[in-house]
């Protein structure tokens, strides 16, 4: 499944409509062990241009795949390193955003009205 289709399926997992959500969850279940799925989920999870919620759904899907059966040999160890780098990068960007947001609030509060 290509990344854009994967994003649509992940978005379906957020739907308030039970039928849409169940269909999306079934699609994710079908593709969870296919070649290319984990790297595509990683791409979505670390892609800054996507919404935070969609990125979180991708990260949760990665966590679920890992929890159900992780084999730390071969290509999986490379993916693990990529996942760690992506998570660290995301955490740094989040912290920068938080500090920029608080400094903007502080500077706005100091300006005379």
């Amino acid at each position: 499944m290509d990344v854009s289709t994967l994003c649509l399926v992940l978005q379906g997992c957020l739907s308030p409509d039970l039928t849409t959500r169940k269909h999306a969850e079934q699609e994710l279940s079908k593709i969870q062990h296919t070649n290319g799925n984990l790297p595509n989920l990683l791409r979505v999870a670390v892609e800054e241009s996507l919404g935070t919620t969609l990125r979180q759904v991708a990260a949760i899907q990665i966590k679920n795949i890992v929890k159900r059966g992780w084999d730390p040999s071969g290509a999986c160890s490379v993916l693990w390193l990529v996942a760690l780098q992506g998570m660290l990068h995301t955490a740094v960007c989040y912290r920068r955003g938080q500090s920029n947001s608080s400094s903007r609030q502080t500077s706005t509060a100091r300006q005379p009205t």
Side-chain angles (χ1 to χ4, degrees):
M1 178 178 294
D2 63 72
V3 174
S4 61
T5 305
L6 180 60
C7 286
L8 292 174
V9 172
L10 293 170
Q11 192 66 44
C13 292
L14 299 169
S15 174
D17 178 57
L18 180 62
T19 306
T20 303
R21 194 170 58 247
K22 289 291 182 190
H23 178 71
E25 290 168 357
Q26 288 172 349
E27 286 297 311
L28 285 177
S29 181
K30 281 187 223 175
I31 64 164
Q32 81 177 15
H33 296 296
T34 59
N35 285 340
N37 183 49
L38 195 54
N40 285 343
L41 284 167
L42 285 168
R43 285 184 187 101
V44 173
V46 300
E47 178 55 52
E48 293 178 19
S49 67
L50 297 174
T52 304
T53 307
L54 188 65
R55 294 171 61 200
Q56 288 174 339
V57 173
I60 290 167
Q61 183 64 15
I62 293 166
K63 185 247 339 158
N64 290 340
I65 290 170
V66 170
K67 186 177 178 181
R68 288 184 194 117
W70 181 260
D71 176 15
S73 64
C76 290
S77 56
V78 172
L79 291 174
W80 181 245
L81 290 174
V82 171
L84 285 175
Q85 289 172 342
M87 287 186 277
L88 289 172
H89 176 74
T90 301
V92 168
C93 289
Y94 177 78
R95 287 179 188 259
R96 284 183 188 155
Q98 291 295 317
S99 65
N100 289 342
S101 174
S102 63
S103 66
R104 275 184 260 151
Q105 290 173 355
T106 303
S107 65
T108 305
R110 291 181 187 162
Q111 294 177 352
T113 55

